[in-house]
Amino acid sequence: MIQAIGLTSNPRKDLPPAVDDVSFEAHTGRVTALLGASGGGKTTTLRLMLELQQGRGVTYFRGRQLHRIAHPSREVGVLLGDVPGHPARTVRGHLRMLCAAVGAPVTRADDVLEGVGLVSLREQRLGTLSRGMDRRLGLACALLADPHTLVLDEPTGGLSAREGDWLHGILRAHAARGGTVLFTTDDAKEAARTADRVITLDAGRLVADQDAAEFARTRLRPRVAVRSPHAARLAALIAKEARSLRRSVEVVQEDGSRLSVYGSTCGEVGEAAFRHGILVHQLADEVGDADHAAADARERAPVEQGCSAALEAGPGAQSGPAVRQGPVSSAACAFGEPRESLNEAIATPTHDTVAERSPATGGAAAASGSDGATSSTASAPRTASAPRAASEPCAASAPRASSAPQSPPSPLPPPIALRTAPNPLRPLRYELRRATGVGTGYLTVAVAIALSALLCLFLARTGRTPQLHLLAAWPSELPLPPAALGAGLLGALAFGEEFRHPALAADRGTVPRRLGLLVAKLAVAAATALLLAGLTVGCDALLLHLVYGGELTEVPSDWLSATVSWISLMIGCAWAGVLAAGVFRSTTAGLAAVLAVPIVVVPLVQKALEGPSVRSAAGFPGRLRELTLVEWPFGVERYVAGGLRVVAQPVGSALMLSLVALLGAYLLTAGRRRAR
């Protein structure tokens, strides 16, 4: 159950708030529609509910606010706009990455893909999906953690009638299984047809909170939709009969073959067509526009030409004998032959003569059978939605009740048991799937190795570069070697891609600043930098040996400290990129922070350390061993001394200083957001 209380957005300058004191409830087991015109405050209301936008008010999801729920994605499934995924990631890879984030098994991705009908497109890239397929994927992401509540912002926007019916069938099945569904729409007919309760917003204010039946009765204009090749003639005949009976009937010709008849019923229009031998392709009771202004804006022609007829009835006007009160389905009625078939369809309505059809499909139905009874075939059957009774009166346009029986086969994926216990490997699995799901990382590694190889060959030809710098392809003219820049870029992408394509931001507002996720990103960045460091030196040494012989690839005497310095530089650059991109929310800012270390920070450190040294730290490893009173095995003090020498260097000390500053800034911003 959703309880929204006093939702009010912050006003901008002198403008009134987009949402002003909106309160409503969405009950469990029911589908609730939030209806309003474009710009009426529907999306802002959802963002306030999900704490994605600052404002006043409070929203409870089964008695708890969203920020007090440990795992929001397991309670609320969210679909706001398009899927925020990397366009180069595959459909299946995107879902598997989210499975690792929410603690679901990887097989859950295949289950939801089958549920939303994307199995055949599981290897497609997100950037190649159509609007309808993107909506299906968004629904799959919302259903991935098997949430209790679904919150969707205009889920059928841009979809065809068939796709819209399918999606509403999914929502109906979720509500029937005990969940809560809230979706927004600007189509009053869609809200009345698919929801159990309709909440109407106008200019950010709540104007109505009604059951769907009451909404359809009080706020919509019922009409009869007619399709006929002789629409103009039928319009003139209906207008003439209404004039003779002194009844208020309005006929609007939508196009060449479609009529909308206001103030009449399916039976009256069908009998008029039968009496005059007019062929009818469709006869359906629909729900019209939410107000009369939309209908009055349509183009009208004189009554004699069959485009419009509106007659005001006097007091006590009676319906003519042509009106039939027999039950006729509220779905579309299609006829092949105008005389016998139409007569039997109106006079003896049964379950065999009419079939359910959504008014939004708008197509013609099947032709008459051999026994005279007509049949209708729905072009887009509702999956798992409650069928409308065939004995429902044609004039009633109320949606089906939530207590109606559901179809046995459910389109939803089966329930799952999520891992509720804390698991330190969950963020690591997510980060690994994120990093390996797109080719950006592989391309960065390949470019860094190729540039290092070409640069080391050029430096070896000139003969002015020391061996250690030659193996690292680090000329004195560059602030950092290509491999270190590649490691920094890989680290910056760890957070930069998250902010550019926020796959985890649907239920959190932004990329989650959790310590576990940060540690996972640092660990993956360090492993990637270590791999890149080894590949770079190995490839450079191999090329130098092949081109210039083994003279340039001899192992130096101080290989240990050089190796520690090289690895520390690579990991430090990668971590600087991770932290800077997390603080400044940009890949470019992360890479700029890496370049700022040798260009800006190192000169400052050198200036601070310049001058005569009075004391030195000679003999520090021996004094450290004496302090611990333990004999270190395997010469560990040598490694400690090597690490200290790395830190003592200007680049090492500047890099360490930058990492400490960036880590403090990251923790500060994370703490401020949590406190807010």
Side-chain angles (χ1 to χ4, degrees):
M1 180 178 180
I2 303 176
Q3 295 173 297
I5 304 172
L7 297 179
T8 304
S9 62
N10 293 335
R12 295 183 178 181
K13 298 182 179 179
D14 297 333
L15 299 176
V19 174
D20 189 7
D21 194 19
V22 173
S23 301
F24 62 88
E25 292 183 355
H27 295 274
T28 301
R30 308 190 71 188
V31 178
T32 305
L34 193 61
L35 175 65
S38 179
K42 305 185 300 297
T43 302
T44 304
T45 300
L46 295 190
R47 294 182 62 84
L48 290 172
M49 293 171 56
L50 298 172
E51 302 176 0
L52 305 181
Q53 182 173 330
Q54 294 185 6
R56 298 189 299 274
V58 63
T59 303
Y60 294 101
F61 296 90
R62 290 201 293 181
R64 294 178 298 172
Q65 293 178 262
L66 194 64
H67 68 272
R68 296 187 179 275
I69 301 175
H71 301 283
S73 58
R74 302 179 187 178
E75 177 65 29
V76 184
V78 180
L79 175 58
L80 300 177
D82 297 335
V83 175
H86 195 287
R89 200 180 304 276
T90 63
V91 171
R92 190 181 188 187
H94 182 77
L95 290 177
R96 286 194 167 192
M97 180 186 70
L98 296 182
C99 284
V102 302
V106 292
T107 56
R108 177 66 175 176
D110 297 325
D111 291 339
V112 295
L113 283 176
E114 184 177 357
V116 301
L118 288 180
V119 176
S120 59
L121 300 179
R122 57 187 176 185
E123 299 302 328
Q124 287 285 335
R125 306 289 179 180
L126 299 188
T128 63
L129 296 180
S130 64
R131 174 72 171 178
M133 296 302 103
D134 187 85
R135 284 294 180 178
R136 288 176 181 256
L137 179 59
L139 186 59
C141 295
L143 294 171
L144 192 64
D146 197 16
H148 174 270
T149 303
L150 290 180
V151 177
L152 307 99
D153 185 22
E154 296 191 1
T156 59
L159 301 185
S160 64
R162 179 185 294 273
E163 291 173 329
D165 287 344
W166 168 85
L167 190 143
H168 284 299
I170 293 282
L171 302 185
R172 175 64 57 182
H174 183 81
R177 208 167 71 177
T180 304
V181 177
L182 174 66
F183 73 94
T184 67
T185 180
D186 56 0
D187 188 353
K189 295 185 292 184
E190 178 187 8
R193 188 174 65 249
T194 60
D196 299 312
R197 192 165 189 84
V198 181
I199 299 166
T200 308
L201 296 181
D202 185 16
R205 289 181 175 271
L206 183 70
V207 297
D209 188 351
Q210 305 166 294
D211 285 335
E214 182 183 0
F215 171 81
R217 185 177 63 253
T218 59
R219 301 186 64 82
L220 298 182
R221 296 186 69 193
R223 67 185 179 190
V224 179
V226 185
R227 285 189 182 274
S228 173
H230 309 287
R233 179 186 170 198
L234 181 60
L237 292 173
I238 294 175
K240 181 179 179 180
E241 291 186 2
R243 234 188 335 263
S244 62
L245 296 174
R246 299 185 58 80
R247 297 183 62 247
S248 177
V249 176
E250 180 182 6
V251 184
V252 178
Q253 186 167 352
E254 305 287 350
D255 52 34
S257 62
R258 178 180 171 88
L259 299 176
S260 292
V261 182
Y262 297 89
S264 186
T265 64
C266 288
E268 295 174 356
V269 175
E271 287 187 349
F274 169 70
R275 285 194 302 269
H276 297 87
I278 298 177
L279 178 67
V280 175
H281 289 165
Q282 181 193 17
L283 186 61
D285 188 18
E286 292 185 352
V287 175
D289 300 304
D291 52 14
H292 293 268
D296 294 338
R298 296 188 183 98
E299 183 180 359
R300 289 176 172 82
V303 176
E304 290 77 8
Q305 298 179 4
C307 293
S308 175
L311 300 176
E312 295 297 331
Q318 300 288 332
S319 298
V323 179
R324 290 186 178 270
Q325 304 298 330
V328 181
S329 170
S330 60
C333 308
F335 307 99
E337 299 182 8
R339 297 184 180 273
E340 293 81 10
S341 299
L342 180 59
N343 185 34
E344 294 184 12
I346 297 178
T348 59
T350 63
H351 285 72
D352 296 328
T353 59
V354 292
E356 180 191 358
R357 182 182 178 89
S358 169
T361 57
S368 168
S370 59
D371 56 350
T374 58
S375 61
S376 176
T377 304
S379 63
R382 294 186 179 278
T383 307
S385 60
R388 221 173 301 204
S391 60
E392 184 179 350
C394 183
S397 57
R400 55 190 181 279
S402 60
S403 59
Q406 303 293 324
S407 301
S410 174
L412 295 175
I416 59 171
L418 295 174
R419 305 183 186 98
T420 57
N423 189 348
L425 296 180
R426 185 183 305 158
L428 186 60
R429 283 196 295 265
Y430 164 77
E431 180 61 21
L432 286 173
R433 293 188 180 277
R434 185 208 63 78
T436 58
V438 295
T440 307
Y442 304 107
L443 181 61
T444 303
V445 171
V447 171
I449 294 176
L451 289 178
S452 297
L454 294 176
L455 192 57
C456 80
L457 290 177
F458 176 78
L459 294 176
R461 184 176 181 274
T462 59
R464 296 192 301 268
T465 305
Q467 183 188 18
L468 295 179
H469 281 230
L470 185 61
L471 291 175
W474 189 359
S476 57
E477 294 80 9
L478 293 180
L480 287 173
L485 290 176
L489 179 58
L490 289 174
L493 288 173
F495 267 121
E497 284 189 351
E498 294 277 16
F499 287 106
R500 188 175 181 182
H501 308 288
L504 295 180
D507 56 350
R508 305 174 194 270
T510 183
V511 177
R513 294 177 177 268
R514 291 188 174 182
L515 184 60
L517 184 61
L518 176 62
V519 171
K521 290 184 179 296
L522 292 177
V524 173
T528 307
L530 186 61
L531 178 63
L532 181 58
L535 290 176
T536 301
V537 174
C539 291
D540 292 349
L542 179 60
L543 282 177
L544 290 174
H545 181 78
L546 290 176
V547 177
Y548 299 107
E551 181 182 356
L552 298 176
T553 58
E554 294 180 356
V555 178
S557 58
D558 56 345
W559 65 271
L560 179 60
S561 60
T563 302
V564 173
S565 299
W566 175 241
I567 293 176
S568 301
L569 176 65
M570 295 288 289
I571 295 179
C573 290
W575 283 359
V578 171
L579 293 173
V583 172
F584 300 107
R585 304 187 178 192
S586 171
T587 303
T588 305
L591 188 59
V594 175
L595 289 173
V597 172
I599 295 176
V600 178
V601 184
V602 169
L604 294 177
V605 173
Q606 288 177 339
K607 187 175 181 180
L609 296 178
E610 67 183 4
S613 177
V614 179
R615 295 180 178 84
S616 64
F620 175 77
R623 292 190 295 271
L624 184 62
R625 184 172 61 252
E626 294 175 359
L627 179 63
T628 57
L629 301 178
V630 177
E631 186 68 24
W632 290 2
F634 308 111
V636 176
E637 65 273 9
R638 296 174 55 195
Y639 298 97
V640 175
L644 292 177
R645 282 196 298 270
V646 172
V647 175
Q649 295 176 359
V651 176
S653 57
L655 191 57
M656 185 66 67
L657 181 62
S658 300
L659 289 177
V660 172
L662 290 173
L663 181 60
Y666 183 89
L667 295 178
L668 179 62
T669 54
R672 285 185 58 190
R673 181 169 183 82
R674 188 173 293 109
R676 184 182 301 170

